[in-house]
Amino acid sequence: MTPSTDRNQELFERARRLIPGGVNSPVRAFKAVGGTPRFVARAQGAYFWDANGKRHIDYIGSWGPMILGHGHPAVVEAVQKAVLEGFSYGAPTEREVELAEEIVSLVPSMDMVRLVSSGTEAAMSAIRLARGATGRSKLIKFEGCYHGHADALLVKAGSGLATFGNPTSAGVPAEVVQHTLVLEYNNVAQLDEAFALHGKDIACLMIEPIAGNMNFVRASVPFMRRCRELCTQHGALLVFDEVMTGFRVALGGAQSLYAKAIPGFKPDLSVLGKVIGGGMPLAAFGGPRAIMEQLAPQGPVYQAGTLSGNPVATACGLATLKEIRKAGFFDALAAKTATLVAGLKAAASAESIPFSTDCEGGMFGFFLLPQLPQNYSQVMQTESALFNRLFHGLLDRGIYIAPALYEAGFVSSAHSEADLAETISAAKEVFQALSSRA
């Protein structure tokens, strides 16, 4: 296909004249891997078709929300009905109460929940609530964890534990991140030292229990246990960012997995998104009643949103949660994901290409490394050029994975055994090609 007939390229050139970088979210631009992003024309089930009409097996799923695949009939029906009733009211609805009831029933750490429109908004609001509830200013986050693009969270590690982070984005003044301490993921000794130095001033510790923006890195059980112990000991709130993992790795989220390993474990606040909206702009944060009642209009911590609890988004989310609650759903989803990663690992191993992988529920990650990394610095040891060749090799064969080696992948209930087999077969071809070029 010549450039003049490549609709993806034509659209990208048009977009770059009007939209910074040609995209409305940076990773979509293929900047890390090179080439032209695929402009999606339509999607159904486990597939999308790009502007050239080429079908791709989709392992991004809108970065996680499409756990049922695209266009699930029950979800489409619920959304169509809601649209006919009205797009937005700026007033309370029964459906947002129903969604709150559903979320609280599935997440035992929550007594109350506040609906918002994006994961960034939910994380930002949870931090404000933690600061208001504790009367403290400082927060801990971990290198490689992403909690949205709020100013206080766009920060990299400082020069030592006695110092706080430095901005990672232009437009973020140093004084905005002066209360953010960035630690190494899965480093218990560093965690202990940080609380020893700053414990009385720490409002909250925010963590992705499975870091999906390092591809897929789990917090170890000893590390998570220590996070809980130190927060309890020093009066800080443990905030779980489950925007990605919530209702994706298990019906009760990642916190339900840690509760099985750590008796009595639960976070103080949880941040949710993606799956709870079923593909619509919807997120939430919640926790115990005593903390959540600090929010306006009941308490002094202000938070508001014109589109919060949007009636179309809540319809989409409710229909999605109803489907994933069905008996056997997560067992079947986890089995598909395990089949995929096992096949990818076998294909790489057959060509002696270093490869490690992990998965939980419908979320997976892989690394072109001999062992699974435990933190961001280890993730960064992956050879990006090799990943880029793998990405484009799969893309050419109609397999769409994240266009960056730092992003997790997602399997949906719509992926068939044939889709998984086609993906593994394509990976074998690509790994063979990579091996012959080595």
Side-chain angles (χ1 to χ4, degrees), residues 125-146:
S125 301
I127 290 171
R128 182 183 302 155
L129 176 58
R131 284 170 162 162
T134 62
R136 302 172 179 181
S137 300
K138 295 179 177 15
L139 67 97
I140 288 176
K141 73 174 293 290
F142 296 93
E143 190 173 22
C145 288
Y146 178 71

Side-chain angles (χ1 to χ4, degrees), residues 13 88 97 142 178 219 236 261 293 341 375 420:
E13 290 173 358
S88 181
V97 180
F142 296 93
Q178 65 179 321
E293 287 182 341
V341 298
N375 55 52
L420 303 178

Side-chain angles (χ1 to χ4, degrees), residues 5 21 28 95 100 105 109 132 136 167 182 192 238 342 351 407-408 413 427:
T5 60
R28 301 177 191 175
R95 195 176 297 126
S105 73
S109 66
R136 302 172 179 181
V182 185
D192 283 338
L238 177 59
E351 302 301 327
E407 304 290 344
S413 61

Side-chain angles (χ1 to χ4, degrees), residues 46 50 115 150 172 223 228 267 300-301 314 416 429:
D50 69 15
L115 302 181
V172 178
F223 180 71
R228 178 66 277 174
V301 179
T314 50
S416 67
E429 292 180 7

Side-chain angles (χ1 to χ4, degrees), residues 82-83 85-93 95 117 305-313:
V83 165
E85 294 169 349
F87 291 177
S88 181
Y89 313 123
T93 67
R95 195 176 297 126
S117 298
T306 299
L307 297 176
S308 295
N310 176 270
V312 181

Side-chain angles (χ1 to χ4, degrees), residues 111-114 129 132-133 269 285-302:
D111 296 329
M112 305 184 81
V113 62
R114 174 65 62 87
L129 176 58
L269 290 173
F285 62 101
R289 186 173 305 276
I291 297 175
M292 294 299 293
E293 287 182 341
Q294 298 296 309
L295 283 172
Q298 196 159 352
V301 179
Y302 192 74

Side-chain angles (χ1 to χ4, degrees), residues 34 39 59 64 69 76 110 130 134 138 156 184 204 223-224 234-235 300 303 316 322 328 355 368 383 413 424 432 436:
F39 281 67
Y59 290 102
V76 171
M110 289 186 177
T134 62
K138 295 179 177 15
K156 62 183 178 182
E184 184 176 74
C204 67
F223 180 71
M224 190 60 74
H234 292 273
Q303 183 277 328
C316 190
K322 181 179 179 180
F355 194 91
L368 299 173
E383 183 187 343
S413 61
I424 293 167
Q432 288 169 358
S436 65

Side-chain angles (χ1 to χ4, degrees), residues 15-190:
R16 283 188 291 186
R17 291 194 291 269
L18 300 165
I19 303 169
V23 292
N24 284 306
S25 190
V27 74
R28 301 177 191 175
F30 280 29
K31 188 173 181 181
V33 295
T36 302
R38 299 306 186 258
F39 281 67
V40 178
R42 65 185 179 92
Q44 183 63 47
Y47 318 116
F48 75 79
W49 287 260
D50 69 15
N52 292 329
K54 181 177 178 178
R55 190 205 76 170
H56 298 75
I57 301 177
D58 181 14
Y59 290 102
I60 292 182
S62 190
W63 301 97
M66 313 312 297
I67 194 168
L68 303 175
H70 299 282
H72 188 282
V75 178
V76 171
E77 182 182 359
V79 169
Q80 288 175 331
K81 182 176 183 294
V83 165
L84 293 176
E85 294 169 349
F87 291 177
S88 181
Y89 313 123
T93 67
E94 182 177 1
R95 195 176 297 126
E96 62 195 288
V97 180
E98 293 173 344
L99 181 58
E101 289 171 341
E102 188 80 355
I103 292 170
V104 168
S105 73
L106 292 171
V107 185
S109 66
M110 289 186 177
D111 296 329
M112 305 184 81
V113 62
R114 174 65 62 87
L115 302 181
V116 294
S117 298
S118 73
T120 291
E121 186 182 356
M124 174 187 73
S125 301
I127 290 171
R128 182 183 302 155
L129 176 58
R131 284 170 162 162
T134 62
R136 302 172 179 181
S137 300
K138 295 179 177 15
L139 67 97
I140 288 176
K141 73 174 293 290
F142 296 93
E143 190 173 22
C145 288
Y146 178 71
H147 307 293
H149 60 269
D151 284 0
L153 297 170
L154 292 177
V155 55
K156 62 183 178 182
S159 59
L161 288 180
T163 64
F164 287 81
N166 302 310
T168 55
S169 171
V172 178
E175 55 268 26
V176 173
V177 299
Q178 65 179 321
H179 298 301
T180 305
L181 183 59
V182 185
L183 307 183
E184 184 176 74
Y185 201 74
N186 277 324
N187 188 325
V188 174
Q190 206 176 84

